[in-house]
Amino acid sequence: MRWFCALVLALALGALGCSETPGGGGDGGAGGVEPSVYASKDLWLCRPDIENDHCDTADLSTTEIQPDGTMVVLDEVAPRSDAEVDCFYVYPTVNFSLEPGNTEVLFPHPEAEIAIVSWQAAQYRAACRLFAPLYHQMSLISYLVGLGEWEDAEYFQRGHDDVVEAFEYYMRNHNEGRGFVLIGHSQGSHNLTKLLEDKFDHDEALREQLVSAVLVGPTNRVQVLEGELSGGSFSNIPLCANSRETGCVIAFDANAAGVETIHKNSVFYSPPSARACVNPASIEGGEGTLSAFVFPRSSWNLGPVFPEGVDTEWVRYPKIYTSHCAEPDEQHALLVDLSGDYTGEVPITPEGIQDIYAEGRELDRNLHGVETYIANSDLVRIVEQQIDAWLSN
């Protein structure tokens, strides 16, 4: 009955809110609601009703490298137009300006934004309808302004206001009572975490529609009470404890196992709260084998991960890495290691990835830049199971 109640709620909101205007794909401003800039299709990287949907057109051609060296070209993941649940995705920092501030030009769509939705969001296109707004995100260096108080800075707030407006526009004009998954990485996770705190934590109706929130690389932004699944960042939204639980959060920061990082315990562990860590390889807890390391050719160079003979955009190494959540006094990060059961030739270890990623960037000695490539195969699987559970309730 959950879906029926949510539909009634959405229809009621729709009657009070605004509707799409013919041809404009937009907000009519009816019922006293001001027209939204997100009525413009130009401000969306992915939206089911736009012609140039970058999630639908992303090249997901993949070659799987099996342990014995056999190469198998997999069927490409096709968009699912009849999906019954939506995914609302907010991309990470792609503005690497050396000046504090915000991205100003959103159309024509910048190449960096197009690339990142292809690398991260498009993987979910068989599970849900995808919505990915552009926003005036703050530059990476803006995180250093005000030190740990970046969330109160005008740069972050400007981008966050965009995300909130885009989400509210989606709810008024496209949701129609559907369940939805929130998906973000890095700055995208920061925006969605604040959205959950401000809009969801004390709104039971919104939480009823929340299938789950996948907050990858929140850099300690999501916290729970030590040893608990809730408390800390959210009062009423727990961490996910199994793959069919809904209304919950999956969050983690990844590091290579056995490698000291620049991040010290005092930064990430402040009793009684601890950094959230949900292991996508074993969501119930303990160590698990990750489904696959999947990497795109058009991203940065990872050495020998693309062997001769691979012509696809993506390469996939199944069951090559394991992961587990470290104890809080070990930073409570998701620690990724080479699987002891992997029998194939190892193209690169998690430590090797971390070394390449951190070259010239000593403040980033972690797996932050590749977390989605390590975990997305499992995250998509979990989201599909959560969607099935939500629809069954």
Side-chain angles (χ1 to χ4, degrees), residues 319-382:
K319 300 185 181 304
I320 190 171
Y321 300 143
T322 62
S323 59
H324 72 278
C325 290
E327 294 301 316
D329 59 356
E330 299 176 60
Q331 301 179 16
H332 213 212
L334 183 74
L335 300 185
V336 182
D337 206 350
L338 181 66
S339 172
D341 295 328
Y342 188 71
T343 59
E345 182 177 349
V346 178
I348 194 165
T349 65
E351 182 178 354
I353 296 174
Q354 190 157 294
D355 286 344
I356 292 174
Y357 177 69
E359 186 175 352
R361 304 169 60 179
E362 287 304 310
L363 289 177
D364 290 320
R365 289 200 57 81
N366 50 49
L367 293 173
H368 187 65
V370 294
E371 290 160 325
T372 57
Y373 306 138
I374 289 170
N376 255 1
S377 291
D378 292 283
L379 293 173
V380 171
R381 169 184 56 81
I382 292 168

Side-chain angles (χ1 to χ4, degrees), residues 301-313:
N301 184 9
L302 270 190
V305 298
F306 277 87
E308 185 176 350
V310 174
D311 298 320
T312 55
E313 168 62 15

Side-chain angles (χ1 to χ4, degrees), residues 59-64 72-74 295-298 306 309-316:
D59 182 358
L60 298 186
S61 59
T62 303
T63 298
E64 180 173 278
V72 179
V73 177
L74 305 178
F295 195 76
R297 184 186 300 274
S298 55
F306 277 87
V310 174
D311 298 320
T312 55
E313 168 62 15
W314 294 77
V315 66
R316 184 178 194 271

Side-chain angles (χ1 to χ4, degrees), residues 54-390:
H54 297 296
C55 290
D56 282 2
T57 58
D59 182 358
L60 298 186
S61 59
T62 303
T63 298
E64 180 173 278
I65 312 296
Q66 299 177 350
D68 65 359
T70 302
M71 298 183 186
V72 179
V73 177
L74 305 178
D75 292 335
E76 189 160 348
V77 178
R80 184 179 173 185
S81 59
D82 64 342
E84 298 180 75
V85 165
D86 298 334
C87 289
F88 186 90
Y89 165 80
V90 184
Y91 54 86
T93 306
V94 292
N95 180 344
F96 299 114
S97 169
L98 297 179
E99 296 293 331
N102 296 82
T103 298
E104 297 297 338
V105 178
L106 301 182
F107 188 83
H109 297 165
E111 288 299 320
E113 281 83 341
I114 295 173
I116 203 68
V117 296
S118 300
W119 298 339
Q120 294 187 353
Q123 302 289 333
Y124 292 85
R125 70 189 186 191
C128 50
R129 297 192 311 173
L130 278 156
F131 292 79
L134 289 140
Y135 66 107
H136 294 95
Q137 71 168 207
M138 68 177 185
S139 61
L140 182 62
I141 204 168
S142 300
Y143 276 99
L144 301 179
V145 176
L147 297 177
E149 300 176 358
W150 52 264
E151 197 166 288
D152 297 324
E154 61 177 309
Y155 306 122
F156 179 80
Q157 191 59 50
R158 182 184 177 196
H160 183 66
D161 287 346
D162 287 351
V163 172
V164 172
E165 183 168 357
F167 177 75
E168 291 180 344
Y169 171 81
Y170 154 75
M171 289 297 293
R172 289 195 304 268
N173 293 281
H174 293 277
N175 178 262
E176 298 181 328
R178 300 161 66 92
F180 53 82
V181 182
L182 302 178
I183 303 170
H185 179 240
S186 194
Q187 189 171 163
S189 289
H190 298 158
N191 274 285
L192 291 177
T193 299
K194 185 169 174 56
L195 183 72
L196 287 165
E197 289 173 331
D198 294 347
K199 302 291 185 180
F200 284 73
D201 207 15
H202 300 289
D203 189 328
E204 185 176 357
L206 269 179
R207 295 200 305 274
E208 281 291 311
Q209 289 184 258
L210 179 66
V211 176
S212 65
V214 180
L215 308 177
V216 182
T219 57
N220 199 44
R221 178 60 181 81
V222 180
Q223 296 205 356
V224 293
L225 295 179
E226 183 182 346
E228 302 292 335
L229 295 175
S230 59
S233 297
F234 313 118
S235 299
N236 298 299
I237 310 171
L239 298 183
C240 298
N242 65 72
S243 60
R244 293 188 65 82
E245 182 179 1
T246 62
C248 57
V249 170
I250 299 170
F252 61 86
D253 297 306
N255 290 342
V259 179
E260 184 178 357
T261 72
I262 194 70
H263 303 311
K264 301 302 182 184
N265 297 345
S266 60
V267 178
F268 290 121
Y269 180 49
S270 303
S273 294
R275 176 163 53 173
C277 184
V278 176
N279 183 3
S282 179
I283 195 168
E284 295 84 2
E287 184 174 271
T289 300
L290 292 155
S291 294
F293 172 55
V294 187
F295 195 76
R297 184 186 300 274
S298 55
S299 188
W300 41 279
N301 184 9
L302 270 190
V305 298
F306 277 87
E308 185 176 350
V310 174
D311 298 320
T312 55
E313 168 62 15
W314 294 77
V315 66
R316 184 178 194 271
Y317 290 89
K319 300 185 181 304
I320 190 171
Y321 300 143
T322 62
S323 59
H324 72 278
C325 290
E327 294 301 316
D329 59 356
E330 299 176 60
Q331 301 179 16
H332 213 212
L334 183 74
L335 300 185
V336 182
D337 206 350
L338 181 66
S339 172
D341 295 328
Y342 188 71
T343 59
E345 182 177 349
V346 178
I348 194 165
T349 65
E351 182 178 354
I353 296 174
Q354 190 157 294
D355 286 344
I356 292 174
Y357 177 69
E359 186 175 352
R361 304 169 60 179
E362 287 304 310
L363 289 177
D364 290 320
R365 289 200 57 81
N366 50 49
L367 293 173
H368 187 65
V370 294
E371 290 160 325
T372 57
Y373 306 138
I374 289 170
N376 255 1
S377 291
D378 292 283
L379 293 173
V380 171
R381 169 184 56 81
I382 292 168
V383 163
E384 289 174 335
Q385 292 172 333
Q386 290 175 319
I387 288 173
D388 180 65
W390 189 90

